[in-house]
Amino acid sequence: MNRIKIDPQRVIGIIDRNIFGGFAEHLGRCIYGGIYEPGSPLSDKHGFRKDVLDALRRLGIAIVRYPGGNFASGYRWRDGVGPVSERPARTDLAWNDIEPNHFGTNEFIEFCRRLKTEPYLVVNCGDGDMREARDWVEYCNGTRETALIKLRQAHGYPKPHGVKYWGIGNEVDGHWQIGYKTPEEYARVFTEFGKVMKWVDPSIKLVAAAVSDWKGALVERTRLLLEQAGDLIDYLSLHWYIGNAANDFEAYMAISELLEERLSAYEGLVQAVSFERQIKHPIYIAVDEWNVWYRTFPPEVRETMKLEEIYNLEVALVTAVQLNAFIRHARTIKMANIAQIVNVIAPIFTRPDGLVLQTIFYTFELYSRTCGNLALDPWWEGDTFSGGAYKGVRVLDVSATLDGNKKQLAIYVVNRSRAKEMETSVQLSNGEFKGDIKIYTVNGPDIKAENTFETPANVQIKEKRITARNHTLNFTYEPHSVTALVCDIA
Ligand code: AHR
């Protein structure tokens, strides 16, 4: 018997809705043919795909990072504003493509408004300069009578866009990046870009690119960045992509341990440097690119497949494992962006005549819809397994949240056994279950099940209700499933 104990008073931290963030890059069919398809019968008169917007609304995406990604490191924002017919097509070296610039800053802001989501822009510190970066802040947020504000007004936007979140560079630690930077170079660039960007608009929040290449002296790199630029950093960005190239289910499921190690290490690092340097403002962590990406990763297929990864049930499980990690680290992780939102390593997959919701869509939707505003500290024990380098990993992966206003509890459990049900006693060590318990389960016929245009509902959310008495509930988790148990507590 597995055992989970929850004390609704043991709050770890406040959950920032921005952990349900997304990322849209000029890459493959994410923007063109994904979000934006002028002339399509499925688009509105401005070219936004209405079916995509509806699906994204279901995900409750709180913030969207744009325009890249690697693309950002060669992007000129001025190419993407003004009359569309006058915008230049450019070579995109990041993805070896041609960028027509028909979608740019203002289209992105329009998209965010339709979605009621927060825009998050990444400035080019690859082959771009600080003048461009601070001009972009001014164009978007400025209120004074300057040429850039007049330009924005001439483009049809009298009021400032009020973009609060700004990233300086993307994956600058990776040699694949246009304008890769040594730790010293990036610390300096961040300081100088950040300084003038904040002078233009002191209310903006800055995101520093810390780690994407999880090799080498990464702690050293981040420590230097925090020491030299800590005063200006609001968020430290981590990126990761995981996968199952070896087709080893157990190793894949044990990824929770690695993520735990990474997050704990970075939390500690930020805390230690903040203490030593007496940095008084909080520096949060933004995992502003996370997902599964391996089938379309190797260079020989990357070009042709443009990262159009098809996801199966096991990916829906590791998506939940990642969301559980973000919830358990809610005290420091204040933003996380699934990469990406449409077509390119994404929960939504389009064709000119419709779309399909991938397996991971349902996991994300489930968490985003039911997650409370407070992260709790669950205790659990039970069956274990070995996967990759990790032994004694608990088969269940658990997180829990409380909606402080509604007194509603949500307990998220991934059963990582491919064949076994997990009988579990779920106990409240404070308070009692009240009324019906809603059970939402993401599952499918087997771990390789996918949703396709032909079979769109292989994996989805099933709902049922049960009742519990007092403070203990015995529940059996289905094999290879993600379950949210949502209930009121007294
Ligand atoms: O999301 C795809 C790519 O992955 C992004 O452009 C880059 O930042 C990362 O390497």
Side-chain angles (χ1 to χ4, degrees), residues 23 25 27 69-70 95 170-171 176 241 289 293 307 340 345:
F23 168 43
E25 177 168 12
L27 195 188
N70 298 341
W95 299 105
N170 175 70
E171 298 189 353
W176 57 86
Y241 290 98
E289 283 189 36
W293 175 24
L307 284 63
Q340 302 191 5
I345 39 175

Side-chain angles (χ1 to χ4, degrees), residues 10 195 282 298 438 473:
R10 279 188 69 93
K195 184 173 79 184
K438 292 179 217 112
L473 164 74

